[in-house]
Amino acid sequence: MVERDWASRMPDPGATLTGEGLLITCHRQAGATLVSGDLDAALAALAPGASMLGLLDPVPTVPFVLRIARDRALVCSDRPLGISGWHDSFAASSADDLYLEITVTGPRASEVVAACLSAPAGSPSTATLFAGIGALVAGLPDGVSLRVQTPDAAALWAHLARLIAVL
């Protein structure tokens, strides 16, 4: 069936795109837990002392938390936390299969960010549009980390491949 022939392929973890001064890499998101409700209570229970990141804030060592909204965040750790369901004032669910991480690094990463990012740094939320696709965007020492929902990863990957061809 023609409608099953997708023009854009889902990137496999470990896949890379390279361009002059750019390395774009797809990573599996292991240890992702989506929380909603009372974030203070959720973080105290799941990741005490973890940093809450806003847009383009630098990613520290794990665990850390990517704020999505006032009452929603993604806890990123080095392993699945194994928690789900309602817990007093917050809900938690595994999101390992919900997100892929795509990193854009290298001396020209700032050009990709300038071309794709829809919001200025300083937002308390990492959630924004990147190349028109919803992503959680945090900083890296030499680029950015994008966590994109798996169904949107193929479109973002294809856009980035086209972009590095013209940069």
Side-chain angles (χ1 to χ4, degrees), residues 29-35 39 42-43 46-48 50-52 62-68 72-79 81 92-93 95-96 136 147:
Q29 178 61 55
T33 302
L34 193 61
V35 295
L39 293 184
L43 300 184
L46 302 177
S51 299
M52 176 82 73
V62 289
F64 59 89
V65 181
L66 300 171
R67 182 182 287 276
I68 298 171
R72 180 173 264 197
L74 184 70
V75 178
C76 300
S77 60
D78 57 356
R79 59 180 170 65
L81 298 179
S93 60
D96 291 343
L136 306 179
R147 281 175 175 77

Side-chain angles (χ1 to χ4, degrees), residues 20-133:
E20 185 178 328
L22 285 170
L23 175 61
I24 300 172
T25 308
C26 178
H27 307 272
R28 183 169 311 285
Q29 178 61 55
T33 302
L34 193 61
V35 295
S36 60
D38 183 346
L39 293 184
D40 291 334
L43 300 184
L46 302 177
S51 299
M52 176 82 73
L53 305 183
L55 186 62
L56 291 174
D57 285 347
V59 172
T61 58
V62 289
F64 59 89
V65 181
L66 300 171
R67 182 182 287 276
I68 298 171
R70 190 174 313 158
D71 64 346
R72 180 173 264 197
L74 184 70
V75 178
C76 300
S77 60
D78 57 356
R79 59 180 170 65
L81 298 179
I83 185 170
S84 64
W86 186 254
H87 302 273
D88 293 325
S89 60
F90 70 91
S93 60
S94 174
D96 291 343
D97 59 349
L98 179 59
Y99 290 95
L100 282 177
E101 180 185 17
I102 296 174
T103 57
V104 180
T105 57
R108 298 185 69 201
S110 61
E111 294 176 40
V112 174
V113 172
C116 296
L117 190 62
S118 67
S123 170
S125 172
T126 60
T128 189
L129 294 178
F130 194 89
I133 296 168

